[in-house]
Amino acid sequence: VRLSYTHLDQPYSQKGNEPKYSAVVLVPKSNPANRAKIDAAIRAATEKARDRFGAAFPAQPKISVHDGDGVRPSDGQPFGDECRGCWVFTAYNKNKPSIVDGNLQPIIDPTELYSGIIANVGITFFGYNAPQNKGIGVALDNVQKVADGEPLGGTRVRAEDDFTVLTPQTGRDNVPQQDIGYDIPLF
């Protein structure tokens, strides 16, 4: 899968809700087995929720998986270009998921976990039964980074590409003051 809106190194709070680790998961439609796995997991989660909550849980619950070629349910606007040709859902967890590389070694550098990476994800579909909101959500359990992908949300630029090394000999003299338009000392 490809990950977008990644919040894997620090929990994130949206609209004042409890902070959680999360990522938007983009599952390619090109392999029909992907949708079959999603549908089977949704059916199993629905059955488990109906066993747990009884008739209060709907037979056709709200589903958190969306067609990236359609529109976002939140505002009716089309999904972004990165979602085209994918099934889209947000997976989250209040506990930090395990995040590893291809050798199953923990990824410690947060710059390795950006929107656009290619990954395997361990997820769990589950039923939720709030008074006004009943459906199937997705928990994010584990992430294995498979490859770097094209960054989403702008170009990632390394500091090494923006700046030169300052030495005691060049110091601030390496900064062309006429280009920045300030006559104040730079520190």
Side-chain angles (χ1 to χ4, degrees), residues 1-9 22-26 82 110-119 145 147-156:
V1 299
R2 190 172 190 199
L3 300 182
S4 183
Y5 293 98
T6 57
H7 300 284
L8 300 173
D9 59 324
S22 63
V24 173
V25 179
L26 308 174
E82 73 278 6
T111 64
E112 292 291 317
L113 305 172
Y114 57 90
S115 292
I117 64 169
I118 309 303
K145 182 177 178 182
D148 285 309
E150 180 181 337
L152 301 172
T155 305
R156 288 174 29 131

Side-chain angles (χ1 to χ4, degrees), residues 29-40:
K29 290 183 186 178
S30 56
N31 183 349
N34 288 338
R35 185 59 200 216
K37 289 178 187 177
I38 290 170
D39 289 343

Side-chain angles (χ1 to χ4, degrees), residues 90-166:
T90 301
Y92 55 91
N93 200 320
K94 62 183 172 185
N95 300 312
K96 186 170 185 170
S98 294
I99 305 166
V100 297
D101 63 17
N103 294 316
L104 301 180
Q105 297 302 306
I107 294 177
I108 299 169
D109 182 357
T111 64
E112 292 291 317
L113 305 172
Y114 57 90
S115 292
I117 64 169
I118 309 303
N120 292 321
V121 292
I123 56 174
T124 303
F125 285 81
F126 64 92
Y128 56 88
N129 192 37
Q132 301 299 319
N133 196 10
K134 303 170 190 313
I136 302 298
V138 188
L140 180 63
D141 301 322
N142 299 297
V143 176
Q144 181 184 38
K145 182 177 178 182
V146 173
D148 285 309
E150 180 181 337
L152 301 172
T155 305
R156 288 174 29 131
V157 178
R158 300 175 325 135
E160 294 85 355
D161 295 334
D162 274 348
F163 307 114
T164 60
V165 174
L166 298 179

